[in-house]
Amino acid sequence: MSSQISVVKCDSYKPSLVEVALRRSVDLLGGITSFIKPGSTVLVKPNLLMSTGPENGITTHPEVVRQVIRILKEINCKVIVGDGPSIWGRYIDNVDEVYEVTGIKKLCKDERAELVTFDKRRMRDKYPLTVWLDKCDHLINLPKFKTHELTLITGAIKNLFGLVSGTYKLELHKNNFAPPEFAKTLVDIYQDAKPDLTIIDGVLALEGDGPATSGKARSLGLLLAGSDCVALDTVMAKIMGIKSQEVLTTKEAARRGLGEGRLSEIKIQGEDIDKLKIKSFKLPTTSMSINNLAWPLKNIVKPLIRYYPYCLRVKCTACGHCVKVCPKKCITLESGGIYVDYKQCIACFCCQEACPAAAIGVRKSVLAKLIGL
Ligand code: SF4
Ligand code: SF4
């Protein structure tokens, strides 16, 4: 396990800038052949969460994917591109619309890469993952640098949740809704389908109530690359101003020995992250750090702190996406907005992730408000 990663500046998605920065990020780690065998078949998995343009900072930018495809073609690889979006287009089941609007469809046509869907699956260790993992020799993971209401960050490990095909993701949310359980599920997937190379698109990042329309795009100007997703998420958390132990996926993966979660043990090539001038990165509402409370107060109040979704009625278009994705089926459409049955709600925030109109906010329980979390 290499715990060497690279952090490289890239100020915009201007193709010439992305080309130089992306090649540098890989070259600093020994070049593409350190990760990928020439002439092999490679599955490239960007984050194509929903039907939205790359200017919103929610999906991996096509220019990043383009440069990866070109580097792979130079060593005669066959390139397959695909993702399993949580929200399949305007009508949930329309992944083609996601590919169109995110710019990936045109890009794959231009670059002559095969674009596939993850609808066919095979039961692997514990979960049904896309059969394309079996058909390819290597996996390249292209996450986005984002926050996440449930998992705190959407980085290298979390992006692999898209390998789970179709609506089975909702089953996993429903059956493993407590954050530590969900983190274990994500780490199981990482353990089963470890990427050979991960490049995090942090040129345009997403802060606040990510990972979708309730977050805010923010220029960050960075690419992070490496093969150790635990190390990558550790460094990403550090840049966001979070201790890696607060990210449950990182903590669990490091505990299992799947990568390096200690910042001091990670060799960072390229930028000195201590010298990067990044002003405070806005974290999700649900992250209000309980860890800042003194022990034993932390352990007493932790089970009593709750966060709930609520409808911002002025923004709601009554599209019904949230109703379709809610794993507990506890949302109903009513005139002027949605109604949530809080007795059923498991606070998974799939509804907020699915909402195309940023119409779902986060409400804190009374105790959380009282103690200022
Ligand atoms: S209402 Fe939202 S947060 Fe609650 S269970 Fe449904 S999708 Fe999850
Ligand atoms: S809250 Fe969002 S997803 Fe739900 S119906 Fe309204 S606009 Fe659609």
Side-chain angles (χ1 to χ4, degrees):
M1 172 66 60
S2 163
S3 51
Q4 175 177 247
I5 71 156
S6 66
V7 178
V8 169
K9 281 189 181 166
C10 182
D11 290 338
S12 79
Y13 290 112
K14 193 174 164 192
S16 56
L17 288 185
V18 179
E19 180 179 4
V20 171
L22 200 135
R23 282 173 190 272
R24 183 162 177 256
S25 72
V26 176
D27 288 345
L28 282 169
L29 302 173
I32 191 68
T33 52
S34 303
F35 306 96
I36 306 293
K37 192 172 161 216
S40 58
T41 303
V42 184
L43 177 61
V44 173
K45 192 224 166 285
N47 183 331
L48 304 176
L49 176 71
M50 68 193 307
S51 180
T52 188
E55 68 282 2
N56 297 317
I58 294 169
T59 52
T60 307
H61 199 284
E63 276 312 317
V64 171
V65 184
R66 185 192 307 282
Q67 295 308 330
V68 170
I69 294 172
R70 288 187 178 174
I71 289 173
L72 291 171
K73 292 245 167 142
E74 283 169 15
I75 56 166
N76 301 316
C77 289
K78 180 178 178 193
V79 185
I80 314 281
V81 179
D83 192 15
S86 292
I87 300 95
W88 284 19
R90 186 164 295 163
Y91 302 105
I92 305 292
D93 55 355
N94 188 0
V95 72
D96 193 57
E97 182 191 314
V98 175
Y99 286 169
E100 181 89 47
V101 178
T102 54
I104 292 298
K105 192 170 179 180
K106 180 175 182 310
L107 159 87
C108 286
K109 195 171 168 213
D110 291 349
E111 300 298 323
R112 297 186 183 175
E114 188 178 349
L115 184 60
V116 300
T117 54
F118 287 178
D119 47 341
K120 291 199 179 66
R121 60 198 189 201
R122 176 173 81 74
M123 200 68 192
R124 289 172 62 105
D125 186 22
K126 288 187 182 165
Y127 311 113
L129 305 185
T130 173
V131 292
W132 286 103
L133 285 172
D134 302 326
K135 295 178 183 178
C136 295
D137 306 305
H138 296 285
L139 171 63
I140 295 189
N141 182 28
L142 301 180
K144 196 75 188 160
F145 192 113
K146 298 194 290 185
T147 50
H148 195 288
E149 207 75 83
L150 183 63
T151 57
L152 198 49
I153 68 167
T154 307
I157 292 176
K158 172 69 177 63
N159 191 44
L160 300 169
F161 195 45
L163 296 170
V164 178
S165 66
T167 52
Y168 196 78
K169 288 192 210 67
L170 297 180
E171 289 300 306
L172 292 180
H173 270 293
K174 191 164 72 182
N175 299 333
N176 307 285
F177 61 87
E181 292 309 309
F182 190 59
K184 281 181 191 161
T185 302
L186 294 174
V187 174
D188 286 344
I189 294 166
Y190 173 53
Q191 195 160 9
D192 187 18
K194 268 184 163 178
D196 298 281
L197 174 64
T198 292
I199 302 172
I200 301 177
D201 171 9
V203 180
L204 186 63
L206 196 81
E207 62 180 356
D209 288 331
T213 55
S214 294
K216 295 271 176 295
R218 168 179 179 164
S219 276
L220 195 65
L222 293 176
L223 293 172
L224 286 71
S227 61
D228 179 349
C229 288
V230 186
L232 283 163
D233 283 350
T234 298
V235 171
M236 182 175 150
K238 160 80 179 165
I239 294 170
M240 283 182 169
I242 303 168
K243 289 187 194 116
S244 69
Q245 289 297 297
E246 288 185 51
V247 181
L248 296 180
T249 44
T250 309
K251 191 175 170 185
E252 174 65 13
R255 189 191 67 76
R256 293 189 200 178
L258 299 175
E260 185 53 77
R262 294 165 299 177
L263 200 59
S264 58
E265 300 302 312
I266 301 168
K267 191 171 176 191
I268 303 173
Q269 304 284 3
E271 298 300 319
D272 179 345
I273 60 165
D274 290 325
K275 290 189 180 153
L276 291 173
K277 291 195 174 96
I278 293 165
K279 288 192 188 140
S280 56
F281 203 87
K282 198 161 179 282
L283 301 180
T285 308
T286 49
S287 74
M288 298 299 118
S289 192
I290 198 162
N291 293 322
N292 292 337
L293 292 175
W295 188 90
L297 190 59
K298 185 165 91 174
N299 290 348
I300 295 167
V301 300
K302 200 170 182 179
L304 305 172
I305 304 295
R306 290 291 307 267
Y307 298 93
Y308 303 97
Y310 76 100
C311 182
L312 300 155
R313 291 181 169 242
V314 286
K315 291 185 176 178
C316 179
T317 60
C319 68
H321 285 193
C322 55
V323 177
K324 286 178 184 161
V325 302
C326 174
K328 294 294 284 181
K329 300 291 169 223
C330 63
I331 305 177
T332 45
L333 267 179
E334 54 181 39
S335 69
I338 56 163
Y339 167 79
V340 178
D341 177 356
Y342 291 121
K343 287 196 187 111
Q344 302 288 325
C345 175
I346 55 173
C348 64
F349 291 96
C350 291
C351 49
Q352 189 188 58
E353 188 170 320
C355 179
I360 294 183
V362 180
R363 179 169 284 152
K364 301 173 190 178
S365 59
V366 176
L367 184 63
K369 280 190 207 155
L370 277 176
I371 57 178
L373 290 175

